[in-house]
């Protein structure tokens, strides 16, 4: 198939300024619920973009594990590439693509690590294999042989048999506190709807329509 001819026309829905919530987190909650109800494969999968201090970007998918007025939480290995980049430069962006709903949500903000208690509250709910994995893997470091990883997993599984697996110091959550959000609804002939929210300490949230 010729990629130049591969396109879809979007016609499912419209997004009006008047029909969006003044609070973008409330608007996100409405759309997230609709993504869940639509039984999308992983509605909480989002692209996380980070950058080095000298502006070299990198992006990858992570899972949203909670959101509220404070922001959007996800979990990872603090020693990973994203962890190192966020340690040096807290500016980051998130993107959700809910293709079946012809929707995109873009979020920009600053990221801070969660308190260890909050990371523990999530870590303890993870399946045993995932908790062991967080100890066994040094995310984003070179692994010369997969067998080494599997051996570490086997050793740690025996070691922690019948014991509570503690939270690794190198593992936990981050929360992105948003300063900007955009809700994108696909429309016909590429005349999409885009509602863009910005935050200022004096005026709180303000929203406008952007050109497609
Ligand atoms: C659907 C999906 C969900 C993922 N969820 C996470 C996650 O929640 N946390 C995480 O650290 N990596 C997650 N990953 C793996 C990351 O995309 C990435 O490979 C890993 O975090 C290393 O990235 P880094 O080297 O840029 O730090 C997920 C990947 C996919 C495809």
């Amino acid at each position: 198939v010729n990629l130049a001819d591969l396109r879809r026309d979007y016609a499912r829905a419209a997004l009006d300024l008047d029909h969006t919530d003044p609070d973008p987190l409330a608007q996100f909650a409405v759309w997230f619920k609709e993504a869940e109800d639509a039984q999308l494969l992983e509605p909480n999968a989002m692209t996380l973009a980070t950058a080095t201090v000298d502006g070299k970007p990198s992006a990858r998918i992570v899972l949203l594990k909670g959101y509220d007025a404070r922001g959007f939480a996800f979990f990872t290995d603090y020693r990973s590439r994203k962890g190192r980049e966020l340690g040096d430069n807290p500016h980051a962006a998130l993107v959700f693509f809910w293709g079946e709903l012809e929707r995109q949500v873009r979020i920009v903000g600053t990221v801070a690590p969660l308190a260890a208690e909050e990371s523990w509250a999530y870590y303890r709910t993870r399946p045993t294999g995932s908790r062991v994995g967080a100890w066994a893997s040094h995310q984003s470091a070179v692994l010369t042989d997969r067998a080494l990883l599997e051996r570490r997993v086997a050793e740690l599984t025996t070691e922690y048999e019948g014991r509570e697996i503690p939270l690794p110091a190198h593992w936990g959550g981050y929360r992105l506190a948003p300063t900007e959000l955009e809700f994108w609804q696909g429309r016909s002939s590429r005349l999409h709807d885009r509602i863009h929210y910005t935050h200022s300490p004096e005026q709180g949230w303000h929203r406008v329509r952007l050109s497609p």
Side-chain angles (χ1 to χ4, degrees):
V1 51
N2 184 349
L3 288 183
D5 295 331
L6 195 59
R7 62 170 68 82
R8 271 161 47 82
D9 197 49
Y10 303 124
R12 275 185 69 97
L15 187 63
D16 277 326
L17 212 47
D18 293 348
H19 293 144
T20 51
D21 199 289
D23 172 5
L25 268 302
Q27 182 61 40
F28 183 84
V30 170
W31 272 26
F32 193 75
K33 170 100 176 35
E34 289 174 3
E36 281 183 307
D37 291 348
Q39 317 236 299
L40 307 186
L41 186 58
E42 286 194 284
N44 61 332
M46 56 188 186
T47 300
L48 163 70
T50 56
T52 60
V53 185
D54 55 340
K56 294 199 183 74
S58 68
R60 78 292 289 153
I61 306 274
V62 295
L63 295 178
L64 178 69
K65 288 294 175 175
Y67 64 92
D68 58 25
R70 295 169 299 171
F72 299 83
F74 57 90
F75 292 86
T76 193
D77 189 324
Y78 290 136
R79 305 164 301 179
S80 64
R81 178 173 181 170
K82 74 183 89 52
R84 281 183 273 119
E85 291 185 2
L86 289 170
D88 294 339
N89 172 11
H91 300 286
L94 302 172
V95 184
F96 292 86
F97 175 51
W98 294 319
E100 291 86 342
L101 300 179
E102 302 173 351
R103 284 175 176 174
Q104 170 181 231
V105 179
R106 300 168 60 181
I107 304 167
V108 176
T110 53
V111 169
L114 299 183
E117 300 75 57
E118 221 181 320
S119 292
W120 169 246
Y122 171 66
Y123 181 82
R124 60 190 293 279
T125 69
R126 301 177 87 214
T128 307
S130 307
R131 276 179 284 155
V132 170
W135 279 103
S137 169
H138 182 154
Q139 193 178 54
S140 310
V142 172
L143 181 61
T144 46
D145 186 349
R146 185 178 167 94
L148 292 173
L149 174 65
E150 288 173 2
R151 201 177 317 141
R152 273 205 296 276
V153 168
E155 285 165 6
L156 288 161
T157 305
T158 311
E159 190 182 325
Y160 285 122
E161 182 94 64
R163 295 202 286 135
E164 186 171 72
I165 308 171
L167 175 72
H170 62 256
W171 195 95
Y174 288 101
R175 181 178 285 111
L176 181 142
T179 50
E180 264 181 76
L181 295 91
E182 181 192 313
F183 295 84
W184 183 101
Q185 179 74 57
R187 298 294 304 275
S188 199
S189 302
R190 299 291 180 261
L191 302 178
H192 313 301
D193 289 328
R194 303 174 61 189
I195 305 298
H196 186 251
Y197 293 74
T198 48
H199 190 267
S200 66
E202 309 78 40
Q203 288 164 38
W205 288 106
H206 177 69
R207 68 195 191 284
V208 295
R209 172 182 289 276
L210 297 183
S211 297

